[in-house]
Each structure stands twice: as structure tokens, then as C-alpha cells.
Amino acid sequence: MNNKSRQRRSTQRVTMSDVAKLADVSASTVSLYLRKPDEVSGPLGQRIQSAINTLGYVPNLMAGALAAARTRVIGVVVPSMLNAIFASTVNTMQKALGAQGYQLLLGHSDYAEAEEEAVVRTFLSWSPSAMVLTGLSHSRETRRMLSNSDVPVIEMWELGSNPLDTLVGFSHLDVGRAQARHLVDAGCQRIAFIGTRLNVDERAKQRCAGSEAALMDLLGKRHTRVIDCGPGRMAEAANHAFADLLSSHPDTDGIIFGNDMLALGALGEAQRRGIRIPDDIAMIGFGDMDFSNCTLPPLSTIRPPREEIGNVVAQCVLQRVQGHTQETCLDLGFELLSRASSLRH
Amino acid sequence: MNNKSRQRRSTQRVTMSDVAKLADVSASTVSLYLRKPDEVSGPLGQRIQSAINTLGYVPNLMAGALAAARTRVIGVVVPSMLNAIFASTVNTMQKALGAQGYQLLLGHSDYAEAEEEAVVRTFLSWSPSAMVLTGLSHSRETRRMLSNSDVPVIEMWELGSNPLDTLVGFSHLDVGRAQARHLVDAGCQRIAFIGTRLNVDERAKQRCAGSEAALMDLLGKRHTRVIDCGPGRMAEAANHAFADLLSSHPDTDGIIFGNDMLALGALGEAQRRGIRIPDDIAMIGFGDMDFSNCTLPPLSTIRPPREEIGNVVAQCVLQRVQGHTQETCLDLGFELLSRASSLRH
DNA sequence: CAGTTTTTTCGCAGCGCTACGAGCTTAACG
DNA sequence: CGTTAAGCTCGTAGCGCTGCGAAAAAACTG
């Protein structure tokens, strides 16, 4: 017999059985009370609660999760937390799911499938209740891990074929088409595209492709030019891109931007050069950021369903967690906000 | 003897002992290999690794955390994820700590101590390796839980007395003073303040108080007016605040903004009204956001050490986790970027 | 009031992993 | 060639909680 009790407990943490002892009940009852208070009789419940209070008991989620083989954790992966557009979706999800007692584990992929794979791998080892990913492009290994895991998966912010499971988003192709049509309707004939990360951001790419397709349809020609600014301080990058565009295609009369920050940068540069917006050049952005209605002139843009996506994803998560096995595909649409930057006289 | 084996395992999850069996070693060795690969001999390590690969083994963090009584989780609480300024700090921390195998659990307090308390309570039941909070104002219960928990605590983005433990930030009072001095140096005499959430955002309040103090010192008078825009779409709110200010104090010749988004809104409105910036009114913001150098005119502002805070906090966390019990208090300073919006002729 | 049903409480066997000490090899040394 | 040291590997005892089935208590029956 090995009698030297191997002391492993470092901290004298208050455990459930401490509470049980004080309340003079069994640990099972405390556990039950914590999980389903109604199934414990009134007086006992009160005894337990007061024991919890006096001891300052904090349940150990790890132990619970291990025993129950489930956590109340939702893994969420967005391309970048620096992008205000995703912040707002995540914020909404946080509110909706937090209210139901779920924790969000937030990670970012930096627009790279390999990064995403690493994050998903880590998150899965928390055995989350669900996973929420951005977009439909994932590495083969990511897809494999996810489908092996029997964790509900929700993809958001995009529409397309072969979703892993549930899909909540809108069509970026349609956004591009709408942007192009809008400028053409405003009388533009030579339309350029200024975006960022077109090489890695699948959704940006789709918007660009959508506008290109629409331009072919409507005008029978492509973008006069497509400029990719790369990441970084976008407003500044757009300054240069715009200047560059003006020198290579001085007859440009419309620009579609990958996002509103780029448009803001170009707007400033235009004003500095005395180019009149929208009369010389009409502009439309994407994102409807905080400032988009306050630029000079106010910026026409696309408002993606940021908060709506967050809310709908949260609903889907809750349904899936409760076992409703409906794999859906929800198109939340978007809104084109026509403002002065594209209102030509 | 209870012979009916109580099947509890729902999913046939691959466990460490499955790997051990396939690699023909003991589970302990697999565990050791996973934690300290160098302490396992080469050939055995390879056998184990290939077993892991063929089985697609994903470790169960819950079990590990329970056994080791620690997680590799860092709880981070910021006021709001919508605020780009915090996003950038969190992003940096994520990068630095993620590289060391730590997970960030991100929560927000919505600028309310009660919310913060709830988040901290939840996070603590994850027994995190460390907690990172924003600011120094916490509810009494929050402080109690934290100090009872023996989890290292780092407060960031602020400087002050009575930190819980370690403190990394800069002085918002000094920021306010610097803003005021800058405008006074530029020749302003009647300076107003336009901010948001002054009632709840302790740091915004401090900046306002700092500029007020400096104005008293330098000009012997206070802000001509302090406007609190409230939350929401800030750029738009600033439009109105600015208009309001102009009608009540048409002789205003300098404005200090609580953040750059507010300044952007006012800048637009000023231009619309034909008010020349900086000649009629000089402006300075706070935050140095992406667009601040591209407004018209470029916006003078304060660059807080966003990324620096993230990095330093990450370093502190790592040190504290490794047992270095140095409770420090680091002032990271800030930078005043003098641009055209405050450069009077 | 004995017999039956319903409600409440309890005991126990894990969940999958880590830490510790012991056992086994192999290398190094006098 | 025996002895000691060093390097690897393995067995075992939990970590704190949950969920099952069973026991105990309470509430109904006729």
C-alpha cells in the first residue's frame, strides 16, 4: 500500500464537496441544484445556496466539462479582429449567446487557411458546443477535422455551395453587381475598382468579380483598372492608389471601393486635387462604417447585415445545440445606401 | 459487483490511450511526448507522432486542465470590442500569447462595472493563467474575487494608484494636458471639448479633466463648453454637437475631441459650413485611427501606445505565469502627432 | 395502515489527462 | 567487470464534477 498521500492539490480551492459538507447534503445534490434548481426542494436549495455564498464557491468548469463531455463554449473564427465589420457581428453574437450562458472563444485567421486550420484545431480540443467560421474556403484538413468532430458548424458572411453545415450570409457577387449597376445608372462609363487583399479575401474577390460581370453586361466592358492596395493603413494606401489611377486613367468617371475606409482616403485626395465628387468621379464603397454618412460628400455604400448575421448565427447555434438538426442556408441580403457621392447632376 | 458496464462514452472519441495502444507505448509516454517532446527518445517520438496522425488524435484540453489544475487561457476584458483602439491591443496580445500556446478568452464590460463583474466571475471559473482588465475601476466584488483567486491580474490602458497587481498604461490626464497645451500653443483662446461617454468612460473623463486643468494653468479659464455626445454613431453625433457648439459659442477657436471619429464628423460639418480648419477653429483628436492622416485637413491627434500595450501586457503575463512575482507599474507614454488641423498661420 | 406511486436525495463509477515516483536500460567509469 | 549515473519509460492515483441507478422519503391509495 502506498500510504504517503500524494498531495497534489496546490491551492485549497473550495470544491463542491466543501459546499456539500457545509450544507449537510451530498455532493450530487449540490451538483443537481446547480444544474437544475427546480429538482431540489426549496429548503435544501436555500441551505445549499447559502453555503455557496459563505464559501464563495466558484464551480470548476473544467471538471464539469470533462464529466459532462460538453462545454458551453462557442468557437468563433473571423479573418481579423481589426476589421470593424466583423467586430460588430461578433459583438452581437456575444450579447445573444452570452445571455444564454455561452462563452465565445474568439480567434482570427488573418485571411489564411493555414492560420484558420491552427485555430480550429485548438478550438476543437475545447470540445466546443459549436464552431462559427467566416467564409466557405477552408483547408482540406480543416474540413476533415470539423466533420469528424460532430460539432455543429456555422459558416457566415458568405453564400455559396458546399457549406459544411449551416450557412448564414449574403451574396458578395450580388453586392458587386449592385455597386456596378448603381454607378452605371448614375451615368458612369469608365469605372475602376480599388480594393485590398484581393488575393486572399475571397469575399472581396467576389465583389470585384460581381461588379466586373455587371459591367460586361451593362456596358460591354470591364473595369478600366483594378487596383489592389494591400493591407495596412488603408486610407493612406487609397490616397496613393487614387493618385495612381488618375495618372494612368485620367478619364475615370466612377470608382467602386472594396470598403469605406479606402473610399474615405480617396475622397480626401480628390478634394485636395480639386476633383469634384460625384460630378467628375462618382464613388461607392462597402461596409457603411460609422463615418460613411459624414464624409464630404456623404458616401454611397453597401450596408452588409452585420448585426443581423450575428443574431441569426446565434439563433442557429442555439437551435443546433438543442439538437434541431436542420442544416439551413440563409441569405440575409444587403442594402444599397445611395448618398451624395454617387448622385450626379 | 456491478457488471453492466455503464456506457457513458457517447462519441467514440480518440483518446490518448488509443494512441498509446497503436504506438505500443504507455499513455504516460504519449502524454510526456506531447508536453515535453525532448524527453522522449527519437524513434519512440516518431512512432507516437505517426499514431497521432493516423488516428487524428485531438487532445482533450478539459482533461488536461483538470489534471494539471491550470489552463493556458488568459481572460481579457475590454470595455468594447467595437472600439478599434482596443481591437488593436487585443490583436497584438493574441499574436504574442498565441505563439506561446495561450488562448485568449475575450469579454467586454460595456463600460459598466456590473458587466465586468459578471465577465470576471465567468472567466475565473476557467481557472485562467492570468486575467487582463482594462482600467482601474472595478466593483468591490470584482476586486475580491480576483484577489482571492491567486490568478495574476494585469490592468491596462490606464495609470493610477492601487492597482490590483501589475499595471501597464499611460496617463490620460497627461494626454488631456498635452492636447490643451498644443492648442494654446497654436494660439487658441476659447477651447471647447467634445467627447463621448464621459459619464462612464473613466479614461475619457481623465483626458477631459487633464485638458481642463491645463487650460486653467495656461489661460486661467476652463473649457468654454464640454459636450458629451453619448454613444452610437459617433461621427454623426459629432456633426450635431459641433453645430450646437457653433450656435452657443460662435467664437470658439479650438476644439479637443474625445476621439478621432468625433473629430472626423466635426471636420465634415465644418467644411460644409465653410469654416476653415485650422484657421477659424483648430482641432485635435485622440486615437490616431487609420484615417486620421487622410482627413481634410489631416488631423492632429494623440497616438496611444496601442500595440505596445498589447506586447508589454503579453510579456508581463508570460513573466507572471512563469512565477516572476514582480508587480510592476509601467508607463508607456503617448505621442502627440501635430498635423494640419492645428497648424495655424 | 399496508401497499403503491411519486418525489427527492444519495453513492459510485467514471470523464481523459497529468504528475509523481519507481522501474528498466544503457552508458560511463574506476 | 562490477558499480554508479543518467536517460527513458511506465503504473498509479487522483483532478472536481456529472449522470446513472438505487435508496430513502414523502405523498397517495383503497
Side-chain angles (χ1 to χ4, degrees), chain A residues 213-252:
Chain A
L215 289 183
M216 285 303 291
D217 281 355
L218 299 167
L219 302 178
K221 52 189 176 190
R222 315 173 50 178
H223 291 120
T224 57
R225 184 150 174 223
V226 172
I227 303 183
D228 189 340
C229 296
R233 289 191 82 128
M234 290 195 275
E236 289 182 33
N239 264 340
H240 304 135
F242 183 58
D244 185 8
L245 174 66
L246 286 180
S247 63
S248 78
H249 294 76
D251 59 349
T252 297

Side-chain angles (χ1 to χ4, degrees), chain B residues 186 278-279 340 343-345:
Chain B
D279 297 306
L343 195 67
R344 303 176 90 177
H345 307 298

Side-chain angles (χ1 to χ4, degrees), chain B residues 172-173 175-177 179-180 192-195 198 201-215 222-223 225-227 256-258:
Chain B
H172 291 259
L173 274 171
V175 167
R177 289 199 195 96
Q179 289 172 312
F193 186 97
I194 297 181
L198 293 178
D201 184 342
E202 198 57 39
R203 291 163 294 288
K205 209 183 296 181
Q206 284 176 28
R207 293 195 294 272
C208 183
S211 58
E212 180 112 350
L215 290 184
R222 315 172 54 179
H223 291 120
R225 183 144 175 227
V226 173
I227 302 184
I256 298 172
F257 288 92

Side-chain angles (χ1 to χ4, degrees), chain B residues 114-341:
Chain B
E115 285 285 324
E116 185 187 58
E117 184 179 313
V119 175
V120 168
R121 188 187 305 280
T122 313
F123 281 12
L124 279 183
S125 51
W126 285 94
S127 35
S129 295
M131 288 285 297
V132 179
L133 305 184
T134 307
L136 284 160
S137 324
H138 317 291
S139 75
R140 176 203 301 274
E141 176 65 8
T142 302
R143 304 181 74 93
R144 192 181 74 88
M145 287 190 294
L146 251 14
S147 46
N148 282 356
S149 71
D150 90 343
V151 169
V153 179
I154 296 180
E155 287 159 295
M156 61 176 183
W157 270 96
E158 200 169 324
L159 239 43
S161 50
N162 288 323
L164 279 159
D165 180 340
T166 299
L167 186 54
V168 178
F170 59 97
S171 164
H172 291 259
L173 274 171
D174 283 353
V175 167
R177 289 199 195 96
Q179 289 172 312
R181 195 176 315 117
H182 183 70
L183 289 193
V184 170
D185 286 351
C188 300
Q189 295 283 326
R190 290 165 301 280
I191 299 176
F193 186 97
I194 297 181
T196 33
R197 296 192 219 254
L198 293 178
N199 50 337
V200 289
D201 184 342
E202 198 57 39
R203 291 163 294 288
K205 209 183 296 181
Q206 284 176 28
R207 293 195 294 272
C208 183
S211 58
E212 180 112 350
L215 290 184
M216 284 303 291
D217 281 357
L218 299 168
L219 302 178
K221 52 188 176 191
R222 315 172 54 179
H223 291 120
T224 57
R225 183 144 175 227
V226 173
I227 302 184
D228 190 339
C229 295
R233 290 191 81 131
M234 290 196 276
E236 290 183 30
N239 265 340
H240 303 135
F242 183 56
D244 186 9
L245 175 65
L246 286 180
S247 61
S248 78
H249 295 74
D251 59 348
T252 298
D253 61 3
I255 307 182
I256 298 172
F257 288 92
N259 65 59
D260 286 359
M261 191 65 84
L262 294 171
L264 178 64
L267 233 33
E269 183 65 17
Q271 207 169 118
R272 222 164 281 126
R273 289 170 174 247
I275 296 172
R276 292 166 309 161
I277 311 291
D279 297 306
D280 296 334
I281 302 182
M283 292 182 172
I284 184 166
F286 172 80
D288 188 33
M289 306 196 68
D290 263 13
F291 57 77
S292 303
N293 198 20
C294 300
T295 53
L296 215 75
L299 183 65
S300 293
T301 190
I302 301 283
R303 196 190 79 83
R306 295 176 287 208
E307 292 82 8
E308 291 87 335
I309 291 180
N311 270 127
V312 171
V313 167
Q315 295 318 314
C316 287
V317 165
L318 291 174
Q319 289 193 340
R320 297 303 308 278
V321 167
Q322 285 153 23
H324 302 241
T325 324
Q326 42 160 15
E327 306 190 354
T328 33
C329 180
L330 297 171
D331 182 354
L332 264 41
F334 57 87
E335 195 181 347
L336 192 151
L337 302 172
S338 177
R339 299 202 271 239
S341 75

Side-chain angles (χ1 to χ4, degrees), chain A residues 179-208:
Chain A
Q179 289 172 313
R181 195 175 317 117
H182 183 71
L183 289 192
V184 170
D185 285 351
C188 301
Q189 295 283 326
R190 290 164 302 279
I191 300 177
F193 186 99
I194 298 182
T196 34
R197 298 193 219 254
L198 293 178
N199 48 338
V200 289
D201 183 342
E202 198 55 39
R203 291 163 296 286
K205 210 183 296 179
Q206 283 175 27
R207 293 195 294 273
C208 184

